[in-house]
Amino acid sequence: MVDVADKLGYFQAITGLEDPDLCTEILQAHGWDLELAISSFTYPRDDPSSSPLDHNREPFTEFENDPIINESDLNNGRPPGVAWKIITLPISIVSGSLGLASTAIGFGFWVAGGALTYSLGVLGFRSGRGGSEAESSSSSSVSSAAGEAMEFIASFDRDYGRNPLKPGFVAEGFMDALQRSRSEFKLMFVYLHSPDHPDTPAFCDRTLCNEGVVAFLNENFVTWGGSIRSSEGFKMSNSLKASRFPFCAVVMPAANQRIALLQQVEGPTTPEEMIAILQRVVEDSSPVLVTARFEAEERRNNLRLREEQDAAYRAALEADQARERQRQEEQERIEREAAEAERKRKEEEEAQEKAGREAAEREAARVRMRQEKALALGDEPEKGPDATQVLVRFPNGERNGRRFESNTKIQTLYDYVDSLGVLETEEYSLITNFPRTVYGRDKESMSLKDAGLHPQASLFIEIN
């Protein structure tokens, strides 16, 4: 166990990896062969004997081993362009990634000529032992990375603030800066700062802060810098396998949480050389960026068109629904009005029928009453000293007369008038004009003779 612990400690010291579990996985994947594990971590897997990248290595146009080529791209016949060869870390290191599927970066396009890809799992995103631990680690890593970026910018300004121009380093962690380059369709310029290297001051003063270099970087790149003394800067130097300083690289996002290394510059470089290198990378990558920008714009246009179509559909649907609601409301109003009119009509018909029935009943009652009163009168007496001749004048000018016994009650005169059916009311009085005498209902019990109507009388009808 002592030998295993020594190998683990030595591997951590050489690689700079702090996670003992991750280092153990790497060593186990290589059978605890320390030399082989360090070689696979330090140099490309496909060529363990290769030495570190040479200063200002020129890109080439052939793919080696595992190029990032989607099968759909091959079917579409998209040609490769300029790029580095493919370098893929062992699965044990790739598995150490936090699993940034939700923040996957990747243009999903061709990196001109191929690409040198690296897993971002070794950029400080250690494997978690649970969902909550992973989320907490991710949040703290992002905050720490941004803090380190701001510290580097502040330190760079302190050391080289005398220069009127400086690169526009973004105050963000590497992943955020990479995402920014993706959204802005720019390449990403990476500068790894080694404060103790003797060539660093001259390079920063004369090259990085050169007016032409600064202008070219600010116009064409998202520029990110990190000190190798910081956690993220150190791990980026391991990931990019920086062997000489000053170290610069040009990268771009690729699929599946990888980056494509398009160019790296190691060691002292003049402003003219730097601009020439960057100019060539920009020219070689321009078709890729233009295509990506065009495809993204096309996606945005298609999305906007779909949104406009959806909005138009929703507006038309809402208008149709509003019209349908209005039609239904109008229909309901008409139905309510029709029902109300029908109800009133039925009520009127019922009222008319009731009034008709009541009128018929009243008429029938009057007819019965007239008949009964006519029968109650008996036969008309013959002329004689005991017979009283009575003439009744109605308001309509009609006249009717009859003889009554002189001892007949005035009530009988009212029955006689009612039996004739001339009047529509029973509220009337019998009167004489000369002298005017009213023979009202209060005198119904008087006889004709006692009332002074014998032997004859002429009476008028006065409606009360």
Side-chain angles (χ1 to χ4, degrees), residues 36-252:
L36 179 60
I38 294 175
S39 176
S40 66
F41 182 86
T42 307
Y43 305 116
R45 184 185 62 181
D46 55 338
D47 188 7
S49 64
S50 63
S51 61
L53 298 171
D54 296 334
H55 167 60
N56 294 347
R57 173 179 293 185
E58 295 296 328
F60 55 90
T61 59
E62 292 184 8
F63 285 95
E64 297 183 13
N65 291 336
D66 260 5
I68 304 178
I69 302 177
N70 295 326
E71 207 172 288
S72 61
D73 291 334
L74 289 175
N75 294 335
N76 293 333
R78 296 186 180 181
V82 94
W84 287 96
K85 64 182 180 179
I86 301 301
I87 294 180
T88 304
L89 294 176
I91 187 64
S92 59
I93 294 181
V94 175
S95 65
S97 172
L98 182 61
L100 303 176
S102 61
T103 56
I105 59 173
F107 279 111
F109 54 68
W110 282 90
V111 174
L116 173 60
T117 61
Y118 297 90
S119 165
L120 296 181
V122 295
L123 299 183
F125 304 102
R126 300 189 183 94
S127 68
R129 293 292 179 244
S132 60
E133 293 181 8
E135 293 175 2
S136 174
S137 175
S138 174
S139 176
S140 61
S141 297
V142 171
S143 176
S144 174
E148 290 180 358
M150 289 187 285
E151 288 178 5
F152 164 72
I153 294 173
S155 174
F156 193 92
D157 288 342
R158 285 195 304 270
D159 295 339
Y160 306 102
R162 60 184 176 275
N163 294 285
L165 295 174
K166 294 180 289 296
F169 293 111
V170 292
E172 301 171 338
F174 182 84
M175 289 294 292
D176 289 337
L178 194 65
Q179 179 64 24
R180 178 187 292 272
S181 72
R182 176 181 182 273
S183 62
E184 295 180 3
F185 299 99
K186 289 184 176 181
L187 301 178
M188 182 172 171
F189 180 83
V190 178
Y191 169 61
L192 298 179
H193 185 68
S194 177
D196 300 326
H197 197 280
D199 293 331
T200 295
F203 177 77
C204 291
D205 269 331
R206 300 171 188 172
T207 301
L208 272 189
C209 294
N210 176 267
E211 181 178 358
V213 173
V214 170
F216 195 80
L217 286 176
N218 292 344
E219 181 180 358
N220 298 282
F221 294 88
V222 170
T223 305
W224 180 87
S227 171
I228 61 172
R229 290 180 178 177
S230 68
S231 175
E232 193 167 41
F234 175 72
K235 289 165 186 175
M236 277 303 304
S237 69
N238 282 337
S239 181
L240 295 175
K241 299 179 177 58
S243 59
R244 293 183 61 191
F245 293 91
F247 180 91
C248 302
V250 177
V251 301
M252 71 190 318

